[in-house]
Amino acid sequence: MSLIEVKNLSVKIGQKQVLKHINLSAEEGSVTAFVGPSGSGKTTLLRTLNLLQLPSEGSVKVGEITANAGDLHKKTIRDLRQNSAMVFQQFNLFKNMTVKDNVAKPLIFNGLANKKEAEETALNVLEQVGLSGVAEQYPVTLSGGQQQRVSIVRAVAVHPRVILLDEPTSALDPELVESVLRTIANLASKHVTMILVTHEMEFARQIADRAVFIEDGAILDQGPADDLLSGTRPGRISSFVNSLSHPTIRKEA
């Protein structure tokens, strides 16, 4: 059974139809890449999976929780969101908290651990990605790449069923991108379920199991990432893939 199922999903914001009749699924332990031109609806679809954007039609299922458009209760929204964690383009770290507290506080707030347990978990996950040395620093002292890695670690620490990443490298200078991509690749190698909006085509082809190409609010095609993002298929998708640069990251064992 799929961990995530989206059926006949549409989103209308004001008078604009942003998403049109989306159908897709994602298996537990898999990585799915949402790709396509800017303004195509990729981020809106990602946000709808977490009900940060409410659907106008259709349904979203994450784990055992199903949210149906037109019948959305606060409990349903809360329960579905507990199955996922978002990583945004901007890092959204608490500026007045240390790195350790940025990771630990969500565990305490969500009742997943007491203060001591949360801090131990925070230090453990920071060490796993080579950030234990900055645990007592504040976000302002970190590079953009380090801040984004902290935001990813914060998402991982709460053990969500799926991590949703919205163009996690788009706000970074080019020289800082690789460390973030390597962190994501390491999670993929551990079969952490992720859905990733990205313009890093070669990276997505390497780490994703499936790719979903979205254009004008609709799915143009979806399938194995290695095939869909190879750049060798004739037509619109390959012309888009080949128009973008190809940063490469080797998946860690």
Side-chain angles (χ1 to χ4, degrees):
M1 178 181 290
S2 299
L3 175 63
I4 297 169
E5 291 183 359
V6 176
K7 294 183 179 179
N8 199 36
L9 180 76
S10 294
V11 171
K12 191 174 184 179
I13 301 177
Q15 297 301 311
K16 184 177 182 181
Q17 192 74 37
V18 181
L19 295 177
K20 309 164 188 173
H21 309 296
I22 302 291
N23 290 280
L24 61 86
S25 62
E27 301 297 318
E28 190 157 17
S30 69
V31 178
T32 302
F34 290 170
V35 300
S38 297
S40 60
K42 305 182 301 295
T43 291
T44 299
L45 178 54
L46 193 76
R47 288 170 60 86
T48 307
L49 295 181
N50 200 32
L51 298 182
L52 292 175
Q53 172 62 53
L54 301 182
S56 305
E57 298 178 44
S59 65
V60 176
K61 176 179 175 291
V62 182
E64 293 73 40
I65 308 300
T66 299
N68 295 295
D71 187 32
L72 292 169
H73 303 286
K74 288 183 178 179
K75 184 178 186 304
T76 301
I77 294 173
R78 182 181 67 248
D79 290 348
L80 187 141
R81 286 179 180 168
Q82 287 180 342
N83 281 328
S84 61
M86 285 281 297
V87 175
F88 299 92
Q89 297 177 31
Q90 300 298 331
F91 321 125
N92 287 353
L93 299 176
F94 299 110
K95 296 178 181 179
N96 62 334
M97 292 185 187
T98 64
V99 166
K100 179 183 69 178
D101 285 343
N102 262 279
V103 178
K105 289 296 184 183
L107 291 166
I108 300 169
F109 179 78
N110 290 305
L112 299 175
N114 61 36
K115 186 175 186 292
K116 181 180 178 181
E117 293 168 339
E119 290 181 349
E120 289 175 351
T121 296
L123 291 173
N124 182 47
V125 293
L126 287 167
E127 183 176 10
Q128 290 175 23
V129 297
L131 290 174
S132 58
V134 301
E136 299 300 334
Q137 293 180 217
Y138 288 86
V140 69
T141 69
L142 306 182
S143 70
Q146 287 175 316
Q147 289 186 60
Q148 190 61 293
R149 287 161 66 199
V150 172
S151 69
I152 293 171
V153 165
R154 181 173 62 183
V156 171
V158 298
H159 297 294
R161 300 289 296 275
V162 58
I163 298 176
L164 309 172
L165 302 105
D166 183 17
E167 298 196 52
T169 61
S170 66
L172 300 177
D173 293 332
E175 65 268 22
L176 301 177
V177 167
E178 184 174 352
S179 65
V180 175
L181 295 183
R182 190 173 298 282
T183 298
I184 297 169
N186 187 43
L187 293 175
S189 73
K190 296 176 180 177
H191 306 291
V192 174
T193 309
M194 290 183 285
I195 296 184
L196 169 73
V197 173
T198 185
H199 282 99
E200 308 281 6
M201 292 298 104
E202 181 61 18
F203 176 72
R205 188 184 70 79
Q206 289 180 44
I207 74 154
D209 300 286
R210 292 183 63 79
V212 179
F213 190 93
I214 302 168
E215 189 166 47
D216 295 326
I219 294 178
L220 185 62
D221 201 357
Q222 58 182 309
D226 190 50
D227 176 37
L228 200 71
L229 304 181
S230 65
T232 60
R233 304 167 103 200
R236 167 64 179 139
I237 296 175
S238 286
S239 67
F240 175 81
V241 170
N242 290 326
S243 72
L244 299 176
S245 59
H246 289 188
T248 301
I249 281 290
R250 185 178 298 277
K251 190 186 296 186
E252 296 184 12

